[in-house]
Amino acid sequence: MSQSTEQKFMNLLKEQASYEEAIGLMAWDMRTKAPKKAIDPRSEVIGVLSQKVHEIQTSEKMKEYLAALTGTSTAPMVIKAVEEARETYERTVKIPKEEYREYVTLQSKAESMWAEAKENNDFKGFQPYLEELVSYNRRFADYWGYDNHKYDALLHNYEPGVTVKVLDEVFPKVRKALTGLLEQIKGAPEQPDPSLLGGHFPKESQEAFSYEILKRMGYDFDAGRLDETVHPFAIGLNSNDVRVTTKYDEKDFRTAVFGTIHEGGHALYEQNIDPSLAFTPLATGTSMGIHESQSLFWENFVARSKPFWQNHYDLFKSHAPERFSSINLEDFYKAVNEVKPSLIRIEADELTYSLHIMIRYELEKALIGGEIEVKDLPGLWNEKMRDYLGIIPQNDSAGVLQDIHWSGGDFGYFPSYALGYMYAAQLHHTLKQEIVFNDVIRKGDFKQIQQWLTDRIHKFGKMKKPLEIIHDVTGEDLNPNYLVTYLTDKYQEIYKF
Amino acid sequence: MSQSTEQKFMNLLKEQASYEEAIGLMAWDMRTKAPKKAIDPRSEVIGVLSQKVHEIQTSEKMKEYLAALTGTSTAPMVIKAVEEARETYERTVKIPKEEYREYVTLQSKAESMWAEAKENNDFKGFQPYLEELVSYNRRFADYWGYDNHKYDALLHNYEPGVTVKVLDEVFPKVRKALTGLLEQIKGAPEQPDPSLLGGHFPKESQEAFSYEILKRMGYDFDAGRLDETVHPFAIGLNSNDVRVTTKYDEKDFRTAVFGTIHEGGHALYEQNIDPSLAFTPLATGTSMGIHESQSLFWENFVARSKPFWQNHYDLFKSHAPERFSSINLEDFYKAVNEVKPSLIRIEADELTYSLHIMIRYELEKALIGGEIEVKDLPGLWNEKMRDYLGIIPQNDSAGVLQDIHWSGGDFGYFPSYALGYMYAAQLHHTLKQEIVFNDVIRKGDFKQIQQWLTDRIHKFGKMKKPLEIIHDVTGEDLNPNYLVTYLTDKYQEIYKF
């Protein structure tokens, strides 16, 4: 019996998904379990399998199936899978093979040069690599095409539908509100005391609490696991195997506790994708921004809320060192919500985090648009840090060199972090219309929340585009006001300004 | 610049090796880390990648390269790689595709039916699957061809060069000696007291001692790791990533201690293969039998020897529960070397182990040769157990159903265990001519031993055939007398008969 074209197409997608799953496991292993000497040979193996994925995505077979299937199927899943595969096909074949190969080599070289430059506070050493990466990305943007701004072509890789036009409308509004709030917080009568949270906190106790919270969130340990790593991440190999990693800082429990919950939010998304999408490119989160909305929803809107600690502070104290027994809930809650401008993005608090993102957005947009050059970055970085956060890095390692993204050529990625935050606030607003959110959190009835997120977001995987999800769930387009209102209310209550 | 055929051939082998490495990591993960629900989808991914390996091995490209390269290269590594790939090609294409596909499906079905049958002591439930497996293997043997005995064609998969003729010469000799020794041991004046070894032994202490011993053996933890599993194994993903697994039985430390050393022996082999063989089919142990010779060498000839415990008993006691402090070295040494006929192969002692293997060999040889049928197995099994070991299983679960091998269609595999033991004894004999073995062990100078094994065996990977290695290292063909002498001397000393 001969297979239908549709069946052949699905089989080809399954082959691709299989390589991707194997690559995913190797990546997880390299960051958690693999012995030191395995890293280099394993990278070669990943290279071979990635090449295979690339070959499938751009194969003659794929081209033929896509042509044959376009407009013929009526099954929504097949229609979307064809759309997804066609877009990948078209974008990938637009880049000349030789150029792509050179770019991959450059990426891996640039990443190690960046690590060295960061270590030695040597922007000049990294500059030529970054210049090359920028020039490749400018060319890629031209290959891919765009309507208004060259940077839109890159944004599309991470957050399809979101453009410079959108961001230039929402980011300044949010920035203005955030810098205003920051001013009020600085002079506010009430100030949290984060020193309460310091001191030794045994790793095993942090681990036990992290496990407990993940379980309560609805994370399925039969379809995942929790491990230690240096730079925490969550990875969905398939919806039955979604792994969370975390880092235990014995001097600051917040790294592991909020970090695990954050990654747990990503993991819930991947665990709850409809199983019928398995082994297709639709079986993952729809975009970086929507993914981040899920992690930030759990980390901030749930786990940094007062009702969360009203429920969980006793549990926390049962794992925490003795000294926490004398810290009252109110002081604890305020301390974990301290706002303080800082140099490093990944250490930023809930309020200033988006300001860090906007700085990166403005710089990379101008860079790709050709308005500034790589050599201008350190000076502009420091200027913007002073303007938005009121502090200036002492050196480039704590400034323009701090993030890995650009060294991998990932321009257009940063905005998704701030978008995720705005999405989360907007979803939070909608959810609050449907349930008494604070009561549910206070009761620890996370099942209700997890189910809501699954029904409205998770299960669809890539069947819906990011802005389509936001519109379907909240009834409106991206609206940054919800984030501003949420932060204003929250910090007014804490800082009493 | 166009690539030479040799370069293209090596690239194809690298592609194959990359899939195999990914499969290896997935297999390790499934047996150590993967969450429960990941097992089924991961098996599908392994299936896709295995299919890919099969396609490469039998591809038109491979056929073309092999034809072009045969007799043209002068580089020994290329010559051997061509030989190896050609043999795989020829053996694989001899099996009709459709038949192979059906066989793979049967294997996976039969394995789960076996597990059920073993659980329920229901040989009849497993019988039809085993009959099918046997009939496939009889046909495969015909496709592959053989000179004297159909079973030779299967033996070749695990121990090329070893035939029924060889085994029928050595096994009866060894069996006669072993059953004779067993009689003498039964009536010997001195009897070890294994009850000394019982009682609770905390997992963490076993783990600490296991790590310590692996390190002393020369196992490189920068190129491997030790994890827990249900059925321990070692796996070489590449020579820079060779992982050992073990099982901690808190009621019997011997499982973990001798098991870890056994798997460590396998791991040393894979870690010390010449790096120039990487990403070719030559970068692994040359056969199951030689592999087993390495694990048994370390487990028995080193770690069950008196000089080993003369050196390590203090270290052991530093990790062991308090009660061991009152057990003297001599009694401890005798207890870990107790000989006692038992029903289960994997629990057998050093002496009776080979008898278990011979029973399986005789049965599967007769089965493949068509002299007996599957339905005869339970009766024959029990008969042979009585004849060789003097005990009869109460049921088939503890008898003919105990091992997984046949359910996977692995006929011809069992002899390698006993061959490995004979090889190890022969290597041990040679090594003793070159160094004062007992002194070296007593001093714990394992580096010398590890280096000797690397220089003579490990580094070659598959560059040499098993019997070639034995001849090159020991100056003679397989000679079972060394095993007999070794066991006779050892047990005479212990049991004083």
Side-chain angles (χ1 to χ4, degrees):
Chain A
M1 202 181 71
S2 90
Q3 288 180 314
S4 69
T5 305
E6 187 178 307
Q7 195 50 53
K8 286 188 208 156
F9 170 66
M10 296 313 289
N11 285 345
L12 191 60
L13 293 184
K14 181 172 177 176
E15 194 184 331
Q16 177 187 328
S18 297
Y19 298 130
E20 286 169 341
E21 185 164 325
I23 292 168
L25 182 67
M26 291 189 275
W28 169 82
D29 183 73
M30 279 172 84
R31 294 171 69 176
T32 55
K33 307 288 174 196
K36 205 165 73 176
K37 293 182 184 170
I39 304 299
D40 285 345
R42 188 65 31 76
S43 304
E44 288 196 56
V45 171
I46 290 179
V48 170
L49 269 75
S50 302
Q51 175 63 25
K52 196 73 207 168
V53 169
H54 186 262
E55 280 171 22
I56 291 176
Q57 288 172 331
T58 58
S59 63
E60 277 305 308
K61 260 197 243 175
M62 182 64 88
K63 187 179 172 186
E64 177 196 317
Y65 299 158
L66 291 172
L69 291 171
T70 300
T72 60
S73 181
T74 51
M77 196 269 264
V78 179
I79 295 171
K80 289 288 175 187
V82 168
E83 269 176 36
E84 189 64 32
R86 188 173 49 232
E87 190 178 341
T88 302
Y89 175 84
E90 284 172 357
R91 284 177 82 85
T92 313
V93 296
K94 277 181 184 163
I95 299 184
K97 263 190 192 166
E98 197 45 43
E99 207 169 328
Y100 181 73
R101 226 192 306 270
E102 286 162 13
Y103 181 64
V104 171
T105 311
L106 171 65
Q107 278 175 314
S108 100
K109 180 73 185 157
E111 269 197 29
S112 64
M113 293 311 293
W114 162 76
E116 221 180 292
K118 184 178 172 183
E119 174 93 15
N120 304 322
N121 185 33
D122 173 26
F123 182 79
K124 285 254 176 294
F126 180 48
Q127 188 177 316
Y129 297 92
L130 189 51
E131 282 165 351
E132 270 213 78
L133 287 165
V134 168
S135 103
Y136 271 99
N137 274 278
R138 284 173 180 163
R139 280 202 303 281
F140 292 170
D142 287 334
Y143 294 142
W144 289 327
Y146 51 87
D147 288 334
N148 293 305
H149 197 291
K150 197 175 285 213
Y151 185 71
D152 287 344
L154 304 181
L155 269 175
H156 184 87
N157 291 333
Y158 305 98
E159 207 61 19
V162 171
T163 59
V164 165
K165 189 163 169 289
V166 174
L167 294 179
D168 280 350
E169 208 184 297
V170 297
F171 277 176
K173 272 192 208 167
V174 176
R175 193 183 73 225
K176 216 175 139 224
L178 296 185
T179 47
L181 276 173
L182 203 50
E183 276 312 304
Q184 291 183 285
I185 281 170
K186 267 185 204 160
E190 187 78 27
Q191 293 288 338
D193 178 8
S195 74
L196 291 175
L197 308 176
H200 185 80
F201 197 128
K203 179 184 137 172
E204 292 68 29
S205 313
Q206 297 187 40
E207 199 174 7
F209 183 70
S210 300
Y211 265 94
E212 195 63 39
I213 292 296
L214 276 182
K215 260 186 244 161
R216 291 187 180 206
M217 285 167 67
Y219 176 78
D220 179 359
F221 273 98
D222 283 341
R225 44 180 293 128
L226 174 63
D227 295 272
E228 231 183 313
T229 192
V230 181
H231 301 290
F233 62 99
I235 186 167
L237 304 172
N238 60 56
S239 67
N240 285 301
D241 192 355
V242 183
R243 305 184 183 195
V244 173
T245 64
T246 195
K247 187 167 103 175
Y248 301 103
D249 179 347
E250 296 203 314
K251 289 198 221 65
D252 190 345
F253 72 88
R254 289 172 295 183
T255 306
V257 168
F258 293 108
T260 305
I261 295 169
H262 180 98
E263 301 305 336
H266 283 303
L268 284 180
Y269 193 173
E270 297 283 327
Q271 280 190 338
N272 292 299
I273 287 170
D274 195 303
S276 70
L277 304 179
F279 290 122
T280 77
L282 307 169
T284 186
T286 190
S287 73
M288 300 305 307
I290 297 291
H291 234 304
E292 200 66 15
S293 78
Q294 299 307 294
S295 52
L296 290 173
F297 185 89
W298 284 99
E299 180 189 353
N300 293 335
F301 294 81
V302 175
R304 285 191 206 267
S305 73
K306 200 189 281 181
F308 177 85
W309 289 106
Q310 284 167 339
N311 182 304
H312 292 94
Y313 194 43
D314 283 342
L315 177 70
F316 175 80
K317 284 193 286 191
S318 78
H319 291 287
E322 181 51 30
R323 65 180 180 281
F324 281 89
S325 62
S326 62
I327 303 169
N328 75 45
L329 172 63
E330 197 64 28
D331 291 339
F332 178 84
Y333 165 69
K334 285 179 183 166
V336 299
N337 280 294
E338 192 211 11
V339 169
K340 193 180 173 192
S342 63
L343 295 172
I344 307 298
R345 174 183 63 87
I346 56 166
E347 294 166 6
D349 57 72
E350 211 181 332
L351 189 147
T352 57
Y353 189 84
S354 299
L355 296 171
H356 286 269
I357 296 307
M358 290 172 202
I359 292 174
R360 287 154 180 78
Y361 163 66
E362 290 168 20
L363 292 175
E364 61 182 27
K365 179 183 67 169
L367 208 47
I368 297 300
E371 298 147 43
I372 63 170
E373 291 305 327
V374 169
K375 66 172 170 41
D376 309 324
L377 285 176
L380 289 169
W381 182 282
N382 294 352
E383 229 172 76
K384 285 181 191 287
M385 280 297 288
R386 188 198 56 208
D387 293 351
Y388 298 176
L389 287 151
I391 50 176
I392 299 175
Q394 318 83 314
N395 57 53
D396 291 335
S397 296
V400 69
L401 284 173
Q402 70 183 262
D403 294 307
I404 195 173
H405 304 58
W406 291 343
S407 77
D410 294 335
F411 299 95
Y413 186 138
F414 279 122
S416 13
Y417 293 117
L419 281 165
Y421 207 7
M422 292 187 271
Y423 293 155
Q426 194 165 336
L427 294 167
H428 178 241
H429 175 81
T430 301
L431 179 53
K432 283 200 301 180
Q433 316 297 304
E434 302 185 23
I435 63 169
V436 186
F437 188 77
N438 283 354
D439 278 3
V440 171
I441 302 290
R442 200 174 292 113
K443 279 189 241 146
D445 184 9
F446 296 149
K447 203 165 171 38
Q448 221 184 118
I449 293 178
Q450 189 237 300
Q451 194 59 50
W452 190 87
L453 293 169
T454 292
D455 291 343
R456 298 209 177 28
I457 302 163
H458 300 175
K459 70 174 183 189
F460 297 111
K462 279 197 163 190
M463 290 288 289
K464 291 183 175 190
K465 296 283 176 200
L467 295 179
E468 189 183 351
I469 286 183
I470 294 305
H471 201 280
D472 286 356
V473 181
T474 69
E476 58 180 319
D477 294 336
L478 172 64
N479 182 343
N481 294 336
Y482 297 112
L483 177 61
V484 172
T485 308
Y486 159 78
L487 290 172
T488 308
D489 291 351
K490 173 164 187 170
Y491 292 113
Q492 266 178 352
E493 199 269 328
I494 292 173
Y495 283 86
K496 317 260 184 257
F497 53 81
Chain B
M1 201 181 72
S2 88
Q3 288 180 316
S4 70
T5 305
E6 187 177 307
Q7 196 50 54
K8 285 189 208 158
F9 171 66
M10 296 312 289
N11 285 345
L12 192 59
L13 292 184
K14 182 172 177 175
E15 196 185 330
Q16 178 187 326
S18 297
Y19 297 131
E20 285 168 342
E21 185 164 326
I23 292 168
L25 182 66
M26 290 189 276
W28 170 83
D29 183 73
M30 279 172 84
R31 294 172 68 177
T32 55
K33 307 288 175 194
K36 203 164 74 175
K37 292 181 184 170
I39 304 299
D40 285 346
R42 190 64 31 76
S43 304
E44 288 197 57
V45 171
I46 289 180
V48 170
L49 269 74
S50 303
Q51 174 63 24
K52 195 73 206 165
V53 169
H54 186 262
E55 279 170 23
I56 291 177
Q57 288 172 332
T58 58
S59 61
E60 278 304 309
K61 262 197 241 173
M62 181 64 87
K63 186 179 172 185
E64 178 196 315
Y65 299 158
L66 291 173
L69 290 172
T70 300
T72 60
S73 180
T74 51
M77 194 268 262
V78 179
I79 295 172
K80 290 288 175 188
V82 168
E83 269 176 34
E84 189 64 31
R86 189 176 44 233
E87 189 177 342
T88 303
Y89 175 84
E90 285 172 358
R91 285 177 81 84
T92 314
V93 295
K94 278 181 184 163
I95 299 183
K97 264 190 192 167
E98 198 44 46
E99 206 169 329
Y100 181 72
R101 226 191 308 269
E102 287 162 12
Y103 181 63
V104 171
T105 312
L106 172 64
Q107 278 174 313
S108 101
K109 180 72 187 157
E111 269 197 29
S112 65
M113 292 312 293
W114 162 76
E116 224 180 289
K118 184 178 172 181
E119 174 92 18
N120 304 322
N121 185 35
D122 172 25
F123 182 80
K124 284 253 176 293
F126 179 49
Q127 187 177 319
Y129 297 92
L130 189 52
E131 282 166 351
E132 269 212 77
L133 288 164
V134 169
S135 103
Y136 271 100
N137 273 277
R138 285 174 180 163
R139 280 203 303 281
F140 292 171
D142 287 334
Y143 293 142
W144 289 326
Y146 51 87
D147 287 334
N148 294 304
H149 197 292
K150 199 175 281 215
Y151 185 70
D152 287 345
L154 305 180
L155 269 175
H156 185 88
N157 290 334
Y158 306 97
E159 208 61 20
V162 171
T163 58
V164 165
K165 189 162 169 287
V166 173
L167 294 178
D168 280 351
E169 208 184 296
V170 298
F171 278 177
K173 272 191 209 166
V174 175
R175 193 184 74 223
K176 215 175 139 223
L178 296 185
T179 47
L181 277 173
L182 204 49
E183 276 311 306
Q184 290 183 283
I185 281 169
K186 268 186 202 157
E190 187 79 27
Q191 294 286 337
D193 178 8
S195 75
L196 292 173
L197 309 176
H200 186 79
F201 198 128
K203 179 183 139 172
E204 292 68 30
S205 313
Q206 297 187 38
E207 199 175 8
F209 183 69
S210 300
Y211 266 92
E212 195 62 40
I213 292 296
L214 276 181
K215 260 187 241 158
R216 292 188 179 205
M217 286 168 66
Y219 176 79
D220 180 359
F221 273 100
D222 283 342
R225 45 180 293 129
L226 174 62
D227 294 272
E228 229 181 314
T229 191
V230 181
H231 301 290
F233 62 98
I235 187 167
L237 304 172
N238 61 55
S239 66
N240 285 299
D241 193 353
V242 182
R243 306 185 181 193
V244 173
T245 64
T246 195
K247 186 167 104 175
Y248 302 104
D249 179 347
E250 296 202 314
K251 290 199 222 65
D252 190 346
F253 72 88
R254 289 172 294 182
T255 305
V257 168
F258 293 108
T260 305
I261 295 170
H262 180 98
E263 300 306 335
H266 283 302
L268 284 179
Y269 194 174
E270 296 282 327
Q271 279 190 338
N272 292 299
I273 287 170
D274 195 304
S276 70
L277 304 179
F279 290 122
T280 77
L282 306 170
T284 186
T286 190
S287 73
M288 301 306 305
I290 298 291
H291 235 304
E292 200 65 15
S293 78
Q294 299 307 294
S295 52
L296 289 173
F297 185 88
W298 284 99
E299 180 190 352
N300 292 335
F301 295 82
V302 176
R304 285 192 206 267
S305 74
K306 199 188 281 181
F308 176 86
W309 289 105
Q310 285 168 339
N311 182 304
H312 293 92
Y313 194 43
D314 282 344
L315 176 71
F316 175 81
K317 284 193 286 192
S318 78
H319 291 287
E322 180 52 29
R323 65 179 180 281
F324 281 90
S325 62
S326 61
I327 303 170
N328 76 44
L329 171 64
E330 196 64 27
D331 291 340
F332 178 84
Y333 166 69
K334 286 180 184 166
V336 297
N337 280 294
E338 192 211 12
V339 170
K340 193 179 173 192
S342 63
L343 296 172
I344 306 298
R345 175 182 62 85
I346 57 168
E347 294 166 5
D349 57 73
E350 211 181 333
L351 189 146
T352 56
Y353 189 83
S354 300
L355 296 172
H356 287 269
I357 296 307
M358 290 173 203
I359 293 174
R360 287 152 179 78
Y361 163 66
E362 291 168 19
L363 292 175
E364 60 183 29
K365 180 183 67 169
L367 209 48
I368 298 299
E371 297 146 46
I372 62 171
E373 290 305 326
V374 168
K375 66 172 170 41
D376 308 325
L377 284 175
L380 290 169
W381 182 282
N382 294 353
E383 229 170 77
K384 284 182 192 285
M385 280 296 289
R386 188 197 56 207
D387 293 351
Y388 299 175
L389 287 151
I391 50 176
I392 299 174
Q394 319 82 314
N395 57 53
D396 292 334
S397 297
V400 69
L401 284 173
Q402 70 184 266
D403 294 307
I404 195 175
H405 304 59
W406 292 343
S407 77
D410 295 335
F411 299 96
Y413 186 138
F414 279 122
S416 12
Y417 293 118
L419 281 165
Y421 206 7
M422 291 187 271
Y423 293 155
Q426 194 165 337
L427 295 167
H428 178 242
H429 175 81
T430 301
L431 179 53
K432 282 200 301 178
Q433 317 297 305
E434 301 184 25
I435 63 170
V436 186
F437 188 77
N438 282 354
D439 278 3
V440 171
I441 302 291
R442 202 173 292 113
K443 279 189 242 146
D445 184 10
F446 296 149
K447 207 171 167 33
Q448 224 185 114
I449 293 177
Q450 189 237 300
Q451 195 58 50
W452 190 87
L453 294 169
T454 293
D455 292 343
R456 308 250 184 334
I457 302 163
H458 300 174
K459 69 175 182 188
F460 297 110
K462 279 197 164 188
M463 290 288 289
K464 291 184 175 188
K465 296 283 175 200
L467 295 180
E468 190 183 350
I469 286 182
I470 294 304
H471 201 281
D472 286 357
V473 180
T474 69
E476 57 181 320
D477 294 336
L478 172 64
N479 181 344
N481 295 336
Y482 297 111
L483 177 61
V484 173
T485 308
Y486 158 78
L487 290 172
T488 308
D489 291 351
K490 174 165 186 170
Y491 291 113
Q492 265 177 352
E493 199 268 329
I494 292 173
Y495 283 87
K496 316 259 185 258
F497 52 80

